[in-house]
Amino acid sequence: MVAEISAQTRRLAEFLSAAASTPLPPEVLHKTKHHVIDTIAAMVSGAELPPGKRGLAYVADVADGASVLIGGGRAAPVEAALANGMSAHADETDDSHARSISHPGCAVVPAALAVGDLRRSSGEQVLRAVAAGYDVGTRVVLSLGKPVLNTDSSGRSTHAYCGLFGAAATASTLYGFTEEQARHALSYAAQSASGVTSWVRDPNHVEKAFVFAGMPASNGVRAAAMVASGCDGVDDVFSGVPNFLDALSAEVRRDELADGLGERYEIMHTNIKKFAVGSPAQAAVQAMLELVEEEPIDPAQVANIRIVLPHDLCRVVDNRSMPDICCQYLVAGTLVDRAFTFAMAHDDDRMTDPVITALRQRTDLVPDPEKAGVRTADVTVTLADGRTRQRYIGAVRGTVDDPMTDDEVTAKAVDLMEPVLDAAATGELMERLWSLEGCADIGEITGRLTAGALAEARR
């Protein structure tokens, strides 16, 4: 019997089967490098944080295999993708795609490195596979209907779903799948789709890093690896009866699966964070940074700080116990330091500093009932003499509306990696990453990031 395959699924699979050999437009290639650099930097710094350490510990006893663990040894691709994914989302510095409410990079890039290392893929092949992962993961989420993040109720996690299908697409591209194999890999991915919004209750970010990155990266790599080993599957998991989309949504938008493929590159619509903090706090940090750069503010003279955020973001960053996702702490720390630093954003002890504590007690975080699905902030500082300082941020630096320059991407990556790799090793790695399309074997990159390579760099 000949299986009926929808036009959308066929187009999606045809796109993947051609992605490895299809050059990216120059501007897309360059933007993809931004995201690979940004995610690798997040992996390196995140390997030193609790979620990264837990992921590495989980796979510590796995026998030597094909791909590399940042800060660890070597492991099979599925386990490597899990550990590197958890490191990539360990400190809230990874990228985000607003329309699908997802963080593609923390799952897609670890999957690309895991399979690319196994396949000895070139840097250009990895870049093409990463771009394809962003295109497919976001489109699958959008095909389920308008994404919603309501942390006051229970629901599926768009972050996990985007990462899963993105990782499967990336791995399929690097395996060089045919159109049929690509369809089967997506079907295996659909069977392992999971993730619910209970991650918002995770106090230490470890389970959240698993949901957003470790789980989808490893499940996506596993789906493609099974097909690569000879497993066949359902020819069209997105159409027919029963199918994945109808099982999960009553508002299916099947046309989104292939809409604009090859013309609209979703990596061009993905944001990079300038600040290593939770995405909902980005605009508030930028607002305070601009205020203190314009004119310093004496903490002792602050009567009140009022932060207005979109209503769907407030709970995520409202007086959280972790410094990098506590909006009140981040704004207070930026005011006192007159700067933003990675160290401040990850300093647990400083959250109870008397000056910081006093400012937090005088800070009101206010939800704007008219705004949702955007990253904006309105910060007003009222001084003891009644004067006010105010700043509104409508487009956060690093978003598609206000993108970072190459120098800013480099500065952020160096700030994250130097404490782990040292200055010399970081400089050499950055030089290789900026010329990634000329790299003959991605192992030249991943080989610099094993435990042995890190130990050698420190000698």
Side-chain angles (χ1 to χ4, degrees):
M1 184 179 83
V2 179
E4 290 189 13
I5 302 166
S6 70
Q8 295 90 348
T9 300
R10 190 176 295 282
R11 172 69 187 111
L12 191 65
E14 288 173 347
F15 169 79
L16 283 179
S17 67
S21 58
T22 303
L24 295 170
E27 68 277 10
V28 178
L29 181 76
H30 194 74
K31 182 72 154 57
T32 304
K33 277 198 289 187
H34 276 203
H35 289 268
V36 170
I37 290 169
D38 191 66
T39 306
I40 287 178
M43 290 164 59
V44 171
S45 66
E48 302 279 296
L49 298 174
K53 290 179 179 179
R54 298 297 171 268
L56 290 167
Y58 170 72
V59 299
D61 295 329
V62 177
D64 284 357
S67 85
V68 176
L69 299 180
I70 302 302
R74 294 177 67 85
V78 171
E79 286 75 23
L82 186 148
N84 287 345
M86 290 187 68
S87 291
H89 191 65
D91 68 354
E92 289 287 355
T93 192
D94 49 303
D95 62 21
S96 62
H97 183 267
R99 189 168 170 235
S100 63
I101 311 181
S102 67
H103 291 236
C106 59
V108 168
V109 174
L113 295 178
V115 178
D117 192 72
L118 173 70
R119 302 281 294 173
R120 308 199 69 84
S121 303
S122 71
E124 185 149 14
Q125 288 172 326
V126 167
L127 289 168
R128 292 173 184 177
V130 167
Y134 280 64
D135 279 333
V136 173
T138 56
R139 281 173 169 82
V140 171
V141 169
L142 294 170
S143 70
L144 287 165
K146 181 177 173 55
V148 175
L149 176 58
N150 181 0
T151 56
D152 291 324
S153 64
S154 304
R156 61 176 181 268
S157 179
T158 52
H159 305 84
Y161 283 61
C162 176
L164 167 67
F165 286 99
T170 293
S172 296
T173 299
L174 291 171
Y175 273 116
F177 281 169
T178 64
E179 185 260 351
E180 180 183 51
Q181 288 175 310
R183 286 189 277 107
H184 291 173
L186 292 171
S187 184
Y188 274 91
Q191 295 297 350
S192 59
S194 59
V196 294
T197 52
S198 56
W199 52 258
V200 74
R201 295 160 54 200
D202 174 20
N204 298 314
H205 211 269
V206 176
E207 185 176 343
K208 183 171 182 282
F210 173 73
V211 174
F212 278 46
M215 175 183 70
S218 58
N219 283 350
V221 169
R222 180 186 292 107
M226 292 189 70
V227 174
S229 72
C231 296
D232 58 5
V234 172
D235 282 311
D236 184 355
V237 76
F238 299 119
S239 298
V241 180
N243 70 77
F244 169 76
L245 298 178
D246 290 329
L248 269 69
S249 174
E251 301 176 355
V252 172
R253 300 178 180 180
R254 200 165 273 105
D255 286 346
E256 291 277 9
L257 281 171
D259 183 50
L261 270 177
E263 299 171 359
R264 188 185 74 243
Y265 294 88
E266 291 303 325
I267 204 161
M268 301 299 291
H269 302 279
T270 304
N271 305 318
I272 290 180
K273 292 180 179 178
K274 181 174 174 61
F275 310 106
V277 302
S279 184
Q282 289 278 309
V285 170
Q286 182 174 331
M288 182 55 74
L289 184 61
E290 290 185 7
L291 285 174
V292 295
E293 286 179 340
E294 181 180 80
E295 182 184 344
I297 298 173
D298 182 354
Q301 297 302 311
V302 175
N304 176 261
I305 302 173
R306 187 173 188 267
I307 306 168
V308 181
L309 297 182
H311 70 86
D312 58 332
L313 303 182
C314 276
R315 182 186 175 191
V316 179
V317 294
D318 184 11
N319 271 324
R320 297 294 297 276
S321 59
M322 292 179 61
D324 60 335
I325 53 175
C326 177
C327 189
Q328 292 92 330
Y329 166 74
L330 293 165
V331 168
T334 302
L335 184 153
V336 173
D337 293 350
R338 303 177 186 175
F340 172 85
T341 62
F342 178 86
M344 179 273 286
H346 294 80
D347 192 339
D348 290 285
D349 292 338
R350 198 158 177 223
M351 292 186 77
T352 56
D353 174 87
V355 175
I356 297 290
T357 299
L359 285 172
R360 290 178 62 183
Q361 290 172 346
R362 298 197 293 272
T363 299
D364 298 318
L365 184 61
V366 181
D368 184 343
E370 302 299 320
K371 287 187 177 179
V374 293
R375 298 294 189 263
T376 62
D378 193 338
V379 175
T380 302
V381 180
T382 301
L383 302 175
D385 61 7
R387 290 182 299 123
T388 61
R389 301 276 306 281
Q390 183 268 343
R391 187 60 51 95
Y392 174 77
I393 301 296
V396 181
R397 188 67 170 167
T399 63
V400 295
D401 295 319
D402 190 12
M404 292 163 66
T405 64
D406 289 359
D407 287 345
E408 287 176 314
V409 171
T410 294
K412 176 189 172 184
V414 168
D415 184 48
L416 293 178
M417 294 195 293
E418 268 194 359
V420 181
L421 301 181
D422 83 22
T426 298
E428 291 176 6
L429 177 60
M430 289 301 298
E431 185 176 349
R432 291 294 186 96
L433 289 172
W434 277 117
S435 58
L436 187 56
E437 68 272 32
C439 176
D441 182 349
I442 195 63
E444 296 176 27
I445 302 297
T446 56
R448 293 171 173 268
L449 297 167
T450 62
L454 298 184
E456 185 65 28
R458 295 188 180 107
R459 290 177 184 172

